[in-house]
Amino acid sequence: MKSDNSASGPVERLVDRVKAGPGGAMTDEVGVITGDLTVATALQPDGRAGVAVQYTDADEWYTLTGSPAPLPHPDGLRHLHDTVLEAIKTGGGAEVPA
């Protein structure tokens, strides 16, 4: 997993690549996207997490439907990110789990 923050302090952004399962991932802007995707889960100032997806190596990012999502505990960002990755691998129009 990649983190876009310094080595010290809490993780504020996680970025990973994933291959979407059949039915892909549902976005607010363009509907379902499929194939090789990059997923970024980032802590927002209000304490929720924003989840964005893009076709790997593309310029455009899309909001994964259900984002932003609340984080119930301090290590919730990593847990949410991993859960989103698994959902996208499964496909079926994956959204941020409620």
Side-chain angles (χ1 to χ4, degrees):
M1 245 180 255
K2 296 180 191 174
S3 169
D4 290 347
N5 66 320
S6 67
S8 63
V11 172
E12 294 183 5
R13 186 170 188 258
L14 299 168
V15 179
D16 278 294
R17 292 181 176 186
V18 64
K19 182 163 184 76
M26 182 63 70
T27 69
D28 291 349
E29 296 86 358
V30 296
V32 172
I33 61 174
T34 61
D36 294 323
L37 306 176
T38 301
V39 179
T41 306
L43 187 61
Q44 297 183 334
D46 65 2
R48 296 183 299 166
V51 182
V53 295
Q54 71 174 173
Y55 291 106
T56 297
D57 297 325
D59 292 328
E60 300 84 14
W61 285 92
Y62 306 111
T63 303
L64 189 65
T65 299
S67 174
L71 295 176
H73 47 82
D75 62 336
L77 189 69
R78 184 169 305 279
H79 176 70
L80 178 64
H81 183 73
D82 290 345
T83 302
V84 166
L85 292 174
E86 287 304 314
I88 293 173
K89 287 179 190 175
T90 301
E95 300 181 3
V96 176

